[in-house]
Amino acid sequence: MNRFSYARPGSVADAVRELAGHPAAKVIAGGTNLVDLMKYNVERPTHLVDVGRLPGLKEIEEAGEGLRIGALVSNTAAAYDERVKERYPLLSSAILAGASPQLRNAATTGGNLLQRTRCYYFYDPATPCNKREPGSGCPAKEGQNRILAILGTSEHCIATHPSDMCVALAALEAVVKVAGPNGERSIPMADFHRLPGNMPEKDTNLHADEIILGVELPEPRFAKHYTYLKLRDRLSYAFALVSVAAALEMDGDTIGEARIALGGVAHKPWRVEEAEAMLRGKTADRTVFAAVAERILDGAQGFGHNDFKIDLARRAVIRALSQAARGTPQSQTDKRIQ
Ligand SMILES: Cc1cc2nc3c(=O)[nH]c(=O)nc-3n(C[C@H](O)[C@H](O)[C@H](O)COP(=O)(O)OP(=O)(O)OC[C@H]3O[C@@H](n4cnc5c(N)ncnc54)[C@H](O)[C@@H]3O)c2cc1C
Ligand code: SF4
């Protein structure tokens, strides 16, 4: 590990000032991702800004018709909050699909949004990687890419965003609240994470001198017909190969509004609004779901080891929509797939 200085500011304004005053500074919250990356010499901050004691960021509060989850709320606290469980069970389920109980106790909402890719080459400073060292190359395209992206890739990077929570937040159309030197702003989930393009080193549209204050969930609509289906190599404690957050409004067998987001397939949670529109007014049925899955996977490209993900994702979408329509969400404790 490299040498770094450390500050624990007492206000959001001070935290923002600390970031602005140190160009190579990093925020630290639960530390479950950042500290690992520092030990691997992947992240080399010269200054750490510990946000752990900032006031007002540990609460889950009513926000209009919705709910605001502070950046420092642990994944455990968010998943087991009665209001989240009752009004946004999709989010609760997605969080519980991730990591382990011990990690979820330490991991925070803000840190989960900004956790970095699990691409093997990114974690190994002995290899080139455009995300770690822009311009050095992307060995994953011809190398070990089993866990990597099939949608929205670029010639520069085929990494995936690993979060489960973010997939549900994308489907629920949450908004990320952030603060910087010019005050506060809101970033819709759809715009928060980026595709790699020719700047794979930039995971999100958050500026280096901004901190996350929390996420706001809109009015709850999908508490009855939802599922978070996560497919992975082991039944627990593994990142998604493919995951699907599906949320439907149902009137009998007829679908009203629909939201679908995929994890494990792209550099950001993957949403295709035209595919969601294909469900509106339709009877819930496997043929319709198959057409929707085709549309979502339109343009998918494998890189060898991960070719299997295209068909896996297609089948996962159909399965997730069937579970959501039936009102039989995937259990994160009993991981048999219904
Ligand atoms: C073994 C293991 C298995 C895991 N499995 C899963 C899984 O299956 N699914 C899943 O989704 N996740 C999984 N995780 C990832 C885990 O969820 C993240 O490490 C965690 O959510 C990060 O939160 P943190 O508070 O510890 O962040 P930190 O490590 O403190 O920070 C992570 C990043 O966020 C930034 N940051 C943190 N808070 C803020 C803020 N308020 N404002 C601005 N920047 C901020 C930091 O600067 C850093 O870049 C796993 C992690 C481990 C170690
Ligand atoms: S896929 Fe992205 S993170 Fe992985 S080696 Fe290529 S550039 Fe690096």
Side-chain angles (χ1 to χ4, degrees):
M1 221 189 268
N2 301 298
R3 292 173 70 82
F4 56 86
S5 50
Y6 173 86
R8 190 189 266 163
S11 71
V12 169
D14 284 348
V16 168
R17 260 192 295 275
E18 287 285 343
L19 284 177
H22 297 82
K26 275 296 233 189
V27 166
I28 184 161
T32 61
N33 191 212
L34 182 63
V35 174
D36 277 358
L37 289 167
M38 289 170 68
K39 287 185 193 157
Y40 287 124
N41 217 17
V42 173
E43 298 270 20
R44 293 185 292 263
T46 55
H47 188 61
L48 280 189
V49 181
D50 184 343
V51 292
R53 292 208 185 150
L54 293 186
L57 305 189
K58 273 204 177 115
E59 290 80 29
I60 301 180
E61 297 168 322
E62 300 293 332
E65 306 276 293
L67 218 51
R68 181 184 303 118
I69 303 178
L72 293 175
V73 173
S74 74
N75 284 176
T76 302
Y80 289 115
D81 182 88
E82 288 304 324
R83 292 159 296 179
V84 175
K85 281 199 300 184
E86 189 186 321
R87 298 185 222 167
Y88 308 97
L90 172 61
L91 177 60
S92 181
S93 180
I95 294 173
L96 293 177
S100 64
Q102 292 89 341
L103 280 160
R104 292 194 296 264
N105 287 343
T108 63
T109 306
N112 196 305
L113 282 158
L114 291 179
Q115 64 174 295
R116 305 213 68 190
T117 184
R118 293 281 156 173
C119 173
Y120 312 120
Y121 300 98
F122 176 72
Y123 270 77
D124 178 3
T127 64
C129 166
N130 284 331
K131 185 178 276 299
R132 212 175 353 84
E133 294 287 341
S136 62
C138 174
K141 282 186 298 180
E142 282 83 36
Q144 290 300 320
N145 50 44
R146 185 168 186 280
I147 61 170
L148 298 182
I150 51 172
L151 287 160
T153 56
S154 77
E155 60 175 302
H156 303 288
C157 181
I158 60 169
T160 52
H161 182 68
S163 166
D164 291 296
M165 185 189 86
C166 291
V167 184
L169 289 177
L172 294 170
E173 298 187 318
V175 171
V176 186
K177 312 294 278 187
V178 311
N182 301 321
E184 296 185 13
R185 67 184 180 116
S186 302
I187 312 174
M189 263 311 275
D191 303 328
F192 187 76
H193 297 100
R194 294 161 41 96
L195 291 180
N198 59 7
M199 290 179 71
E201 70 277 16
K202 239 177 122 29
D203 293 345
T204 70
N205 287 315
L206 188 76
H207 303 149
D209 54 5
E210 288 179 319
I211 67 164
I212 298 176
L213 301 176
V215 290
E216 266 184 23
L217 293 158
E219 166 197 10
R221 308 171 70 178
F222 305 107
K224 285 203 172 70
H225 292 276
Y226 71 91
T227 197
Y228 187 71
L229 177 61
K230 177 175 178 178
L231 304 175
R232 47 189 144 177
D233 282 326
R234 288 189 311 273
L235 282 182
S236 66
Y237 201 44
F239 289 90
L241 288 166
V242 170
S243 68
V244 183
L248 302 174
E249 278 180 341
M250 301 288 298
D251 182 4
D253 281 347
T254 307
I255 300 167
E257 281 300 313
R259 302 277 185 274
I260 311 163
L262 269 62
V265 296
H267 205 253
K268 60 187 286 184
W270 191 258
R271 243 190 100 192
V272 179
E273 288 184 36
E274 301 91 78
E276 295 167 359
M278 287 167 67
L279 287 167
R280 249 176 250 140
K282 300 276 173 35
T283 303
D285 143 298
R286 215 183 146 78
T287 316
V288 177
F289 296 161
V292 167
E294 276 311 317
R295 176 66 192 85
I296 292 173
L297 273 302
D298 196 16
Q301 181 203 351
F303 293 86
H305 300 293
N306 69 349
D307 292 348
F308 75 99
K309 275 194 179 188
I310 300 174
D311 197 41
L312 187 68
R314 205 177 272 129
R315 285 183 283 122
V317 169
I318 298 170
R319 180 67 64 104
L321 286 170
S322 306
Q323 290 180 350
R326 281 199 309 263
T328 53
Q330 181 64 42
S331 164
Q332 301 306 338
T333 46
D334 173 4
K335 297 198 178 69
R336 278 173 302 186
I337 295 177
Q338 307 148 18

